[in-house]
Amino acid sequence: MFENRLTKVFRHISKLARRQNITCYRVYDDDIPEFPFSIEMYEDHVYIAEYNRKHGMEEDAHEEWLDTCLELISKVLGVPPGKIWVKQRQRKENRQSQYEKLSLESHIMTAHEAGLQFKVNLSDYLDTGLFLDHRITRSMVREEVKDKKVLNLFCYTGSFSVYAAAGGAAEVTSVDLSKTYLAWAEENMQLNGFNSPAYTFVHADVLQYLDTLKLNTYDVVIIDPPTFSNSKRMKDFLDIQRDHADMLNKVLLATKKDGVVYFSNNYRRFVLESDKINAASIKDITKQTLPFDFQQKLIRKCYRLTK
């Protein structure tokens, strides 16, 4: 059942990817509940995350089942085991298969997207450093930032910042609370030759940072916050459903007239409280920004606000 499904979707999706010259894409995402994986291609590597589910198997039986699945994935995708990287939401201590040994090695590679380069880490974090579902959104930003001032909040590894620089933005400011991700964002910019002093990186709690912004400063703002955050380094904890209107209003104050804010989040039950948001227009661009490899499963919402 799993082999048939994977063979079918891989044939279809890889064909679409080749046509669009896309080398990093999602192949499979929990299509069959009994096989709870997310499987992504990163050029000639495969990244697999196993979702944490009650499977009712003893540990040894689960290990054996997983090894069988990985062999099958290797065969269907035509990728050798040495280039397959597996993440489990709960790491098992005594895993003895070849895949576990591999996943304990660090693997960092350079991935390519739309003529740009990104550092991707397939081994050390639950996320690789490049959110593939925002491929189209990044391109939209690139198209409209020429000679404009751009602010990227919760910038993560800076992929939107790289696209903004590639689109000819006059200034790009990237803000994140994580020093690790901020350094990664700077590395991604340098990887693409973007070393200008016009590209700045700010280590800050975004919720507090919003209160320091000057009025009418930015032409384009990207804000892609987590659903919840209660980092010890944050002054307040973030609840995106509760806080989004207030947060977006602060962002809009810092945005020039006719400026644009791209806002997205991954909260499954998110409802935009548009009546509380001081924007001239709000457009739901979720479907418009949905890539071919996320058509069935994507839960994130995406909006374009104009001041």
Side-chain angles (χ1 to χ4, degrees):
M1 182 169 62
F2 178 50
E3 183 172 5
N4 288 344
R5 176 66 185 165
L6 187 59
T7 302
K8 184 180 172 186
V9 294
F10 180 58
R11 191 178 292 143
H12 173 64
I13 285 176
S14 61
K15 193 183 292 180
L16 293 174
R18 273 195 305 276
R19 276 189 204 145
Q20 298 179 44
N21 201 25
I22 289 167
T23 57
C24 301
Y25 54 92
R26 182 163 290 184
V27 175
Y28 172 98
D29 191 9
D30 205 9
D31 298 26
I32 302 170
E34 296 87 345
F35 297 89
F37 301 114
S38 162
I39 304 174
E40 293 176 341
M41 295 294 300
Y42 284 86
E43 312 206 339
D44 59 343
H45 289 71
V46 176
Y47 174 81
I48 302 169
E50 182 192 1
Y51 297 120
N52 186 19
R53 293 267 165 81
K54 288 181 181 173
H55 47 64
M57 287 182 263
E58 293 294 324
E59 188 169 324
D60 287 350
H62 177 254
E63 300 302 312
E64 201 174 314
W65 169 84
L66 184 56
D67 277 344
T68 305
C69 290
L70 296 176
E71 284 168 23
L72 192 148
I73 292 166
S74 173
K75 184 181 89 173
V76 172
L77 304 189
V79 175
K83 291 190 172 184
I84 295 178
W85 302 83
V86 189
K87 286 286 166 51
Q88 290 171 281
R89 297 288 161 172
Q90 291 180 324
R91 184 178 283 279
K92 302 285 191 294
E93 288 303 316
N94 299 314
R95 186 159 171 70
Q96 291 301 317
S97 80
Q98 59 184 327
Y99 297 95
E100 172 69 0
K101 292 188 194 107
L102 286 171
S103 70
L104 293 176
E105 297 167 13
S106 186
H107 187 77
I108 294 166
M109 63 177 285
T110 301
H112 300 80
E113 186 182 88
L116 300 168
Q117 300 181 75
F118 299 92
K119 172 188 159 186
V120 164
N121 188 324
L122 299 180
S123 54
D124 299 332
Y125 305 95
L126 272 176
D127 295 307
T128 63
L130 186 64
F131 289 135
L132 303 181
D133 61 290
H134 269 307
R135 194 186 299 126
I136 293 170
T137 328
R138 287 192 278 270
S139 293
M140 289 170 76
V141 167
R142 184 181 192 167
E143 290 300 309
E144 68 173 323
V145 295
K146 186 154 177 58
D147 302 325
K148 292 180 176 176
K149 288 187 178 181
V150 178
L151 176 63
N152 185 6
L153 299 166
F154 301 101
C155 75
Y156 186 45
T157 61
S159 54
F160 273 104
S161 301
V162 171
Y163 268 77
E171 291 179 18
V172 183
T173 303
S174 307
V175 186
D176 204 280
L177 184 59
S178 164
K179 286 184 178 176
T180 301
Y181 287 138
L182 209 57
W184 194 334
E186 196 162 357
E187 214 175 319
N188 275 336
M189 291 288 268
Q190 288 170 357
L191 197 56
N192 291 279
F194 302 135
N195 299 306
S196 160
Y199 310 132
T200 54
F201 303 87
V202 180
H203 175 240
D205 172 350
V206 171
L207 295 185
Q208 292 181 56
Y209 183 75
L210 290 176
D211 294 325
T212 70
L213 292 174
K214 292 179 180 158
L215 300 175
N216 310 314
T217 303
Y218 296 98
D219 302 286
V220 177
V221 181
I222 302 107
I223 179 164
D224 184 13
T227 299
F228 297 100
S229 184
N230 59 352
S231 164
K232 289 173 185 166
R233 291 166 296 168
M234 286 178 74
K235 186 179 173 191
D236 306 305
F237 79 92
L238 170 68
D239 175 333
I240 197 60
Q241 184 60 63
R242 181 194 68 193
D243 300 329
H244 73 274
D246 183 49
M247 193 164 61
L248 287 169
N249 284 332
K250 288 179 180 179
V251 168
L252 286 161
L253 286 173
T255 306
K256 294 177 186 173
K257 188 178 184 312
D258 300 321
V260 171
V261 176
Y262 284 94
F263 166 57
S264 71
N265 75 83
N266 290 311
Y267 181 39
R268 199 178 286 273
R269 295 190 296 276
F270 181 75
V271 178
L272 188 78
E273 296 175 346
S274 46
D275 55 321
K276 296 181 182 175
I277 299 166
N278 305 321
S281 74
I282 301 175
K283 188 179 177 189
D284 186 335
I285 58 169
T286 303
K287 286 183 181 170
Q288 198 182 330
T289 58
L290 203 60
F292 65 89
D293 45 333
F294 286 84
Q295 290 292 330
Q296 308 304 321
K297 297 287 181 182
L298 193 57
I299 56 169
R300 71 138 169 86
K301 309 285 198 311
C302 194
Y303 305 89
R304 188 179 191 273
L305 291 70
T306 307
K307 183 166 179 180

